[in-house]
Amino acid sequence: MTDHATIIATRLSLGTRQVEKTIDLLQNGATVPFIARYRKEATGNLNEVQIAAIRDLLARLQELDKRRQAILASIREQGKLTPELEKQILEADNLTTLEDLYLPYKPKRKTRASVAIEKGLEPLAEIILKQQNVDMQNVANAFVNAEKGVANTDEAIDGASDIIAERISENTTARNAMRKFFASNAMLSSKVVKGKDMEGAKFKSWFDWSEPVAKVPSHRILAMFRGENEGFLKVKIAPRNEDWALERLDRLFVKGRNESSKIVYNAVRDSYKRLLSPSIETEFYNRLKERADEEAIKVFAENLRQLLLASPLGQKRVMAIDPGFRTGCKVVCLNQQGDLEHNETIYPFGSVRDERDATKRIEDLAEAFDIEAIAIGNGTAGRETEEVVHNAHFKNKVITVMVSENGASVYSASDVAREEFPDYDVTVRGAVSIGRRLMDPLSELVKIDPKSIGVGQYQHDVDQTMLQNSLNDVVESCVNSVGVELNTASKELLSYVSGIGPALAKNIVAYRNRNGAFASRQELFEVERLGAKAFEQCAGFLRIRESENPLDRSAVHPERYALVERMARKVGASVEQLMADKSLRAKININDFVDQDCGLPTLHDIMKELDKPGLDPRTKFEVFEFDNTISTIDDLRVGMVLPGIVTNITAFGAFVDVGVHNDGLLHVSQMGDRFVKNPNQVVKIHQHLKVKVLDVDTHRKRISFTLKGLQK
C-alpha cells in the first residue's frame, strides 16, 4: 500500500499520509461521502472529488499490478525472463510501458516474421542487423532450403527482412519516438464513405474534415467516431508528413551504407507502413476515445448533479398534468407526501367547449384537493396545456410550473413504478412522477437510471461502465449531501445512502412497514443484517424528524452525541436548549473539546449543525414563466429577448428552452464577451436566464441564442 500511496500522492499533489489514511478507510469499507463528512481529521480535510480520485487511481494501480504479474508469469514460463527485464517490468509505472516491454514476448497469431523464424531465417536477420560489409547473396545462400520453403536467396532475404521489420515495430525506443511524433504532428481526419452522402447527411459537417489530434475537442471526436461506427464516415489518424518519422527510425536502425544497411533501410519503411504506424494509430484512436469519454462523462456527471440538486418545491399539495393532444391530458392530484389521491383524463383540445369543460374540471379539482401548485410536463402539448391552466380561475393562489419529462416514461414502465402503483397504468405513473419531481427532484429522479434522465452528450457512445460508475457516484454524493428522512424515504432513495445499498434499503422499508416509524437512529440496529459498520456509515445521513433526540434530526453523527452532551453540560443546558439558543452556543469554546480523535474540522461541522440542524443545501425554489406571446418556433424573430431555462449543457454550449417545443443552442462562443472554456462556468441546469434570439432555421427547427450584450 505504501508504494501505491506514494505514487497517488505524487500524481494528485497530496500528502502521502493523507493518501495512506484514505486508502485504509476505503479498504475497511468506508464510503466516499462518509470519509469526506466524518473523517476530516484522518484525511486532512480532503473533499469527495479528491477521495474519489484516490479510490479510482488505486484501482488502476491494482489492475496494473495484476497485469504486471501476468506478464512476468508469461515470460518466465517461456524461460526468457532475465534479471534486467524483470527489473524493467517491476519499475514500469504505466500500462503502455508495460505492454511495450511485453510485446516481443507476447504470444502472437501467425505473422510474416513468425513464418520466417520457422523457416530458420532468424540467424540471417541477426547478420543483416550487424550491417557489416559482406556479400549478402553469398551469406543468404546458406539459408536456402527447399524443404523449409526457402527456394532462393531473395526469399531468404525477404524473410529476414520480415523479422527485422517486426523487431523494429516492437522496439520500445522506436515506439516512444513514434508516439511523440504522432502527438505533435498527427491529424484526425474523416471522409464520407462512398455512396453514403444522402443517408449520412447528419454527419455532413465531417464529410471532409481534418484537424490536429492535439486540438480536437471531445464532442467532435465522439461525433466522428459515431459516424464511423454507423458506417457513414472513414476516420483516420496519420501524421501530416511521414518523412520525419522515417528519418528518426533510420537514425535508430540504419548504421551504414552497405548492402545490409539497404535491407534494413527498406525494412524500416515496411515496418512503419505495415506494423508501426497502424499500431500507433490504433493506440491514439483509443487514447482519443478515452479522453473524449472522460470529458463527456464529466459533463454528464456535472449536469446530473445540478439536476438532482435542483430546488425542491417542498411538501405542497400538487396537481400534475401529463399533456397529450389526441389521447388527452392525464391529471393526478397528490397530497403533501406525494401520495396519489385522484386521477382522471381531460380532453381540452377538441373544441372550444372541450377546452371550457377541461378548464372547469381543473378549477374543481384544485378546489377539491386544496391544490397549491400545478406541474405540467414539458413534452408534446405542454405549452398548450399551460395556456389552458392559465385560463383557469382559482380561489386560492396556485403556481404553475413546467417540469421536465425526461425519463418519466422510463420510470412509468419500470419495476419500481409497477411496485408503487400496481393498479394503475403507465400514464398515471408518469403523471405522478412529474408531480413528485416538482416537490422533490432528488427523491424522484433516483428511481430512474441516471443515463435515462436526458442530460449530457453522446452518453450512448462512451464507456458504459465508466459512465455508470461516475453517475452512481454523483447520485450517492447528492443524496448524502442533502440527507434522507428515514421514515418517508423510498427504498430507492435509501439505497444510495452511505453504507446501505439495495438489500439493506429493502430491509429498512420492511421493518418500517411492520413496526411503524423509527423513533431513533439507534433503532436501526433492529433492522435485519444492519450491523455496526453499516450503522457507522449511514446514521449521520439519515434524519428522523419526530425523534425525541434532537440530534437525530441533524447531520451530527451518533458517535459525537456524547461530545454534544458535554458541550450542553458545559453551559448548563440540555442539548435541545443548546440547539435552540444561539447565545448558549456562543459561550462554547470549541478548542476545549479538541482531542486526539476529534479536531477542529469536525467541531466546526458540529457547531454548524447545532445552528441549523439538517439544513437542506439546495437553493430556494423560484417559479419560472415563459413569454406567453411565444408558443412555436414560427413566433420567434431574430433579436427577441426571451426568458429561458437551461435544459442541458455540453462541451460546446448549452441548450435553452424558451417554450417553443424546440430547445435552442447557446453556443459557448455566445456566452459572453470573453472566451469561455467551460459552459458550466457560465450557466447551470435549470437556470433561469434571458437570451437573445441570434438565428432561427424553421425548416431544420434549429434556434441559436446569445448572451452577448445581456445582463446575466
Side-chain angles (χ1 to χ4, degrees), residues 536-547:
E536 174 197 62
Q537 295 296 306
C538 74
F541 301 107
L542 296 170
R543 313 279 184 265
I544 303 178
R545 192 177 296 112
E546 304 301 326
S547 174

Side-chain angles (χ1 to χ4, degrees), residues 61-132:
L61 290 173
Q62 290 171 335
E63 285 300 313
L64 185 66
D65 283 346
K66 288 181 185 177
R67 182 60 179 155
R68 190 193 320 277
Q69 292 307 315
I71 287 171
L72 285 170
S74 175
I75 301 175
R76 190 179 289 116
E77 190 177 325
Q78 298 172 44
K80 297 178 181 178
L81 185 62
T82 65
E84 182 185 3
L85 178 58
E86 184 174 18
K87 184 173 183 291
Q88 288 178 307
I89 290 172
L90 289 172
E91 291 177 352
D93 64 355
N94 61 77
L95 190 59
T96 299
T97 302
L98 202 55
E99 295 295 347
D100 277 357
L101 291 168
Y102 184 43
L103 197 56
Y105 309 95
K106 190 174 185 178
K108 304 179 182 72
R109 58 178 176 77
K110 197 172 234 186
T111 65
R112 281 163 51 171
S114 67
V115 170
I117 290 170
E118 289 174 3
K119 292 179 179 180
L121 296 174
E122 194 166 20
L124 177 58
E126 298 284 0
I127 293 170
I128 295 171
L129 279 169
K130 291 177 182 176
Q131 298 180 56
Q132 295 173 345

Side-chain angles (χ1 to χ4, degrees), residues 180 185 295 322 326 391 397 413 484 514 592 605 677-678:
K180 186 176 180 181
N185 290 276
E295 292 182 20
D322 188 357
R326 184 179 56 82
N391 290 333
K397 182 180 179 182
V484 171
R514 286 194 310 269
D592 294 340
D605 284 346
K677 186 175 182 180
N678 180 3

Side-chain angles (χ1 to χ4, degrees), residues 321-332:
I321 304 177
D322 188 357
F325 284 120
R326 184 179 56 82
T327 58
C329 299
K330 180 60 67 175
V331 181
V332 298

